[in-house]
């Protein structure tokens, strides 16, 4: 009787810890208004969401992801929702996609192609949300922004895809480290 409840309790605890850490860092990252801290918040949140996946708790990971989004919005990210959109569309779900890829033994090249298109679509949505489909500003000369706007999709589909390949590789390596950490905790 104790065996059936113990794994469920561990899944709930691991998912809860995952959600709490992800909400804390994602909220802090978004609320600071500093883009580098937002990136750190994304990174820590993604690593935190890997915790339930280390024991293949897919439902727990998805619920932690969903709870992270809801709680982060409730804690004030709704005022800057555009900073949460990439996490909601790609970064929060990416570790789950990687775990499912391994679980169902999906061809890594096929999965990488799908994830690259998914990432590029996220970048396009981000471009339209943040810049209204038009980059502009005062940091660079207007001619630079004109070139960027003219060739934005070329940049997204080349540089974005290259960045996705590197990110995907590093995410798999982070998942291995998280798996080893959780394995040590369990003992």
């Amino acid at each position: 009787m104790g065996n059936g409840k113990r794994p469920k309790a561990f899944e709930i605890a691991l998912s809860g810890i995952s959600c709490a850490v992800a909400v804390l860092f994602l909220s802090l990252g978004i609320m600071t208004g500093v883009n580098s801290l937002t990136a750190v918040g994304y990174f820590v949140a993604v690593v935190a969401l890997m915790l339930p996946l280390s024991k293949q708790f897919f439902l727990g990971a998805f619920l932690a992801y969903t709870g992270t989004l809801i709680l982060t919005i409730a804690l004030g990210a709704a005022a800057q929702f555009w900073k949460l959109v990439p996490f909601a569309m790609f970064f929060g779900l990416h570790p789950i996609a990687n775990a499912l890829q391994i679980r169902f033994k999906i061809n890594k090249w096929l999965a990488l192609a799908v994830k690259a298109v998914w990432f590029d679509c996220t970048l396009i949505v981000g471009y339209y949300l943040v810049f209204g489909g038009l980059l502009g500003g005062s940091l660079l000369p207007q001619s630079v922004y004109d070139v960027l706007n003219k060739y934005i999709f070329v940049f997204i589909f080349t540089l974005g895809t290259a960045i996705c390949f590197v990110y995907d590789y590093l995410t798999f390596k982070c998942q291995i480290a998280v798996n080893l950490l959780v394995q040590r905790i369990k003992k």
Side-chain angles (χ1 to χ4, degrees):
M1 185 169 150
N3 280 343
K5 293 193 184 258
R6 188 171 178 103
K8 249 330 179 200
F10 186 64
E11 178 178 4
I12 292 168
L14 206 54
S15 300
I17 292 168
S18 167
C19 182
V21 171
V23 167
L24 175 69
F25 281 91
L26 194 58
S27 295
L28 288 174
I30 290 173
M31 305 291 251
T32 60
V34 179
N35 288 336
S36 59
L37 291 178
T38 302
V40 170
Y42 267 47
F43 173 73
V44 174
V46 168
V47 171
L49 290 175
M50 291 178 182
L51 288 172
L53 294 171
S54 66
K55 294 296 181 183
Q56 295 190 347
F57 297 147
F58 297 105
L59 179 60
F62 183 75
L63 292 174
Y65 159 78
T66 305
T68 297
L69 290 178
I70 292 168
L71 291 171
T72 302
I73 290 170
L75 289 174
Q80 298 180 20
F81 77 94
W82 60 89
K83 288 186 176 182
L84 191 60
V85 168
F87 185 83
M89 283 184 66
F90 181 79
F91 293 102
L93 291 170
H94 184 256
I96 298 170
N98 282 351
L100 290 171
Q101 173 189 341
I102 292 170
R103 170 89 187 262
F104 294 109
K105 297 180 176 93
I106 297 171
N107 181 296
K108 69 179 178 179
W109 298 110
L110 174 64
L112 189 57
V114 169
K115 287 186 270 188
V117 170
W118 179 22
F119 182 71
D120 292 343
C121 289
T122 302
L123 291 177
I124 291 169
V125 168
Y127 170 68
Y128 281 109
L129 274 177
V130 173
F131 301 107
L134 183 66
L135 282 171
S138 60
L139 295 176
L140 300 171
Q142 187 59 38
S143 60
V144 173
Y145 288 112
D146 292 340
V147 170
L148 284 174
N149 284 318
K150 186 174 182 180
Y151 298 107
I152 191 69
F153 295 110
V154 173
F155 291 133
I156 286 174
F157 288 118
T158 55
L159 293 175
T161 302
I163 289 169
C164 181
F165 290 169
V166 173
Y167 177 77
D168 191 58
Y169 174 78
L170 293 174
T171 304
F172 273 115
K173 294 299 181 188
C174 283
Q175 183 67 60
I176 291 169
V178 169
N179 293 352
L180 291 173
L181 177 69
V182 172
Q183 187 177 21
R184 284 185 182 178
I185 292 171
K186 181 90 188 223
K187 288 182 179 182

